[in-house]
Amino acid sequence: MNEFTELFKKSKALIDNARSSMGVVVNALTVYTSYLLGKYMIEEEQQGSERAQYGARVLDSLSVYLTSEYGRGFSRSNLAGMRKFYLTYKDRESQIVQSGIGQLGTMQENGIVQSPIGQLTVDHQNFPFKLSWTHYQVLMTIEDPAERSFYELEAIKGVWNVKTLKRQYHSSLYERLALSRDKNEVMAMATQGAMPYRPEDILKSPYVLEFAGLDDKSSYHENDLEAGVLDKLQDFLLEMGKGFLFERRQRRFTFNDKNFYLDLVLYNRFLRCYVLIDFKVEELTHQDLGQMQMYVNYYDRYEIIEGENPTIGILMCKQSDEALVELTLPKDSNIYAKEYKLYLPDKKLLKEKLQEWIEEADMQ
């Protein structure tokens, strides 16, 4: 055993911790600097007015000055983004101060900015900006505060990178989830994120499988759709929602010397239940529903253990038939037929439908 093993372990732990903390502090500083520059432009240069008389000149002049001092990163558009960032999130200033980073940028009477970086400690738990500056540049494009808050919370909880955040927003995750909930739950999503509590909470309408790379046509086979999904399993689980774990594909069942194959077996750790998925590219039939009922019954009787909840079955089909489902299955079957789309839905149309739904709820 190396005589310096303990020294090596302590040194590595110290450096790993320092680098981890450095990333947190650097991100906090980057975001806070952008926030503070936006604040200076609004409150110092524009006396608190959102539309100052010389607003355009302020942006142009400050961009030229900072670019000459520091180089790239301070274009007029970037400064305008910082200005918008402050206007969007200025209600979080008290949280910034409480986190310990608010001491930075304190303007003294002599015009000197006090910046005790050597003494800086950031209470990241209370610091209100837990994402990167690039994340917030995306979030600022979302006008509705509740929707913006929802995506921010989901990005934090899901540790989404910027690419994932963009995809979830452009696939209208918020609207698709909201369309299946009552008004109070829509508001709760903005403050708590989309946590599943009931089987219905993991269902979307529709599921968007554009990441599978298949054209939106009727000539492909169910195996093509399954293979496309499994090639991008991480994206598929993200589309399904929170807490999904992959167990197996092509689960074989044998009854009376006949073999049946279920496409996917997932498990949701929040609902504590199995979720069985079958893809259907042809018209949904009562035989499809009966076969899924057989799979669900098998799991409920022979696979689940004490403490787990009843199995959920989802038939992903190109076109659902709610009337057929209602007539074929008992109300407590825990089986759902949900449509999938191989392209991103019309976000404007979904927003209009959501608004109509909220207005109808208000009239009741």
Side-chain angles (χ1 to χ4, degrees):
M1 186 175 185
N2 195 308
E3 61 181 310
F4 299 117
T5 298
E6 190 63 26
L7 174 62
F8 293 163
K9 287 174 61 178
K10 288 182 179 179
S11 300
K12 184 178 186 302
L14 176 66
I15 293 171
D16 287 345
N17 182 65
R19 289 184 173 179
S20 176
S21 299
M22 188 182 302
V24 171
V25 172
V26 167
N27 180 63
L29 282 171
T30 301
V31 174
Y32 182 64
T33 298
S34 299
Y35 177 90
L36 201 60
L37 282 171
K39 179 179 180 178
Y40 286 170
M41 283 181 273
I42 294 295
E43 295 188 350
E44 299 296 329
E45 298 292 343
Q46 301 181 25
Q47 290 79 50
S49 171
E50 294 184 13
R51 295 184 59 85
Q53 184 178 357
Y54 302 108
R57 287 177 56 188
V58 168
L59 284 173
D60 291 335
S61 300
L62 187 58
S63 174
V64 170
Y65 171 73
L66 292 178
T67 300
S68 67
E69 289 286 322
Y70 303 106
R72 296 174 59 185
F74 297 99
S75 65
R76 188 185 191 284
S77 61
N78 282 348
L79 291 179
M82 296 173 191
R83 181 178 179 275
K84 183 177 181 181
F85 182 56
Y86 171 72
L87 291 173
T88 303
Y89 294 103
K90 61 182 180 180
D91 60 329
R92 298 187 184 182
E93 183 138 352
S94 61
Q95 295 173 264
I96 295 173
V97 174
Q98 292 172 6
S99 70
I101 197 172
Q103 61 186 307
L104 284 179
T106 303
M107 186 71 76
Q108 304 298 303
E109 291 183 3
N110 59 7
I112 298 174
V113 177
Q114 291 293 100
S115 182
I117 294 178
Q119 305 169 18
L120 175 65
T121 58
V122 179
D123 180 0
H124 192 249
Q125 184 72 24
N126 294 316
F127 188 60
F129 302 116
K130 294 179 172 59
L131 299 172
S132 71
W133 171 238
T134 310
H135 281 87
Y136 285 106
Q137 287 178 302
V138 175
L139 290 169
M140 282 189 293
T141 64
I142 304 174
E143 294 183 5
D144 180 60
E147 183 180 5
R148 184 170 60 244
S149 176
F150 167 79
Y151 283 109
E152 182 180 6
L153 284 164
E154 290 299 305
I156 293 169
K157 291 179 180 180
V159 197
W160 293 351
N161 58 28
V162 173
K163 180 181 178 182
T164 300
L165 172 60
K166 287 181 177 179
R167 179 187 178 273
Q168 295 289 26
Y169 171 64
H170 290 300
S171 69
S172 303
L173 175 65
Y174 177 76
E175 291 93 338
R176 288 184 290 133
L177 287 171
L179 283 170
S180 64
R181 289 162 166 76
D182 64 36
K183 186 176 178 181
N184 291 332
E185 291 188 17
V186 173
M187 295 298 101
M189 281 202 311
T191 57
Q192 301 172 18
M195 190 67 70
Y197 296 104
R198 306 163 302 177
E200 293 82 358
D201 293 340
I202 65 172
L203 303 174
K204 299 179 185 177
S205 182
Y207 288 92
V208 183
L209 307 183
E210 95 287 349
F211 54 78
L214 298 174
D215 294 331
D216 185 33
K217 58 184 181 181
S218 58
S219 60
Y220 57 83
H221 192 269
E222 289 161 4
N223 290 343
D224 299 324
L225 182 57
E226 179 194 347
V229 164
L230 289 176
D231 284 343
K232 298 291 181 64
L233 184 59
Q234 182 177 357
D235 291 327
F236 177 69
L237 292 179
L238 190 62
E239 172 64 15
M240 288 298 296
K242 269 186 169 58
F244 278 95
L245 307 173
F246 172 76
E247 180 171 283
R248 64 186 300 177
R249 64 178 296 192
Q250 288 296 300
R251 173 69 159 86
R252 186 177 71 177
F253 297 82
T254 302
F255 303 104
N256 297 326
D257 297 325
K258 293 182 180 179
N259 292 325
F260 301 87
Y261 293 89
L262 173 67
D263 290 331
L264 285 176
V265 179
L266 305 181
Y267 190 86
N268 189 282
R269 63 189 184 91
F270 292 117
L271 294 179
R272 294 184 58 79
C273 70
Y274 285 102
V275 180
L276 312 181
I277 296 177
D278 232 5
F279 295 105
K280 298 297 174 185
V281 298
E282 303 295 338
E283 182 180 2
L284 184 68
T285 68
H286 68 276
Q287 289 93 339
D288 297 328
L289 295 166
Q291 189 166 294
M292 177 57 78
Q293 180 75 73
M294 178 178 66
Y295 298 152
V296 167
N297 289 345
Y298 180 89
Y299 265 79
D300 282 346
R301 294 172 187 175
Y302 303 112
E303 295 289 342
I304 66 175
I305 61 176
E306 186 177 354
E308 291 183 326
N309 292 311
T311 305
I312 297 171
I314 300 178
L315 286 152
M316 286 200 177
C317 43
K318 195 170 181 64
Q319 185 171 2
S320 179
D321 188 335
E322 294 301 326
L324 180 65
V325 174
E326 186 177 342
L327 288 172
T328 305
L329 299 174
K331 291 183 178 179
D332 58 351
S333 66
N334 238 15
I335 294 174
Y336 306 87
K338 290 295 175 180
E339 295 183 4
Y340 63 82
K341 300 294 182 184
L342 295 178
Y343 56 90
L344 296 180
D346 186 329
K347 194 172 183 70
K348 181 179 178 182
L349 179 60
L350 280 173
K351 279 183 174 291
E352 290 175 353
K353 287 186 176 180
L354 177 59
Q355 186 58 40
E356 290 175 5
W357 175 79
I358 291 175
E359 290 174 357
E360 288 175 2
D362 287 337
M363 295 175 62
Q364 293 176 359

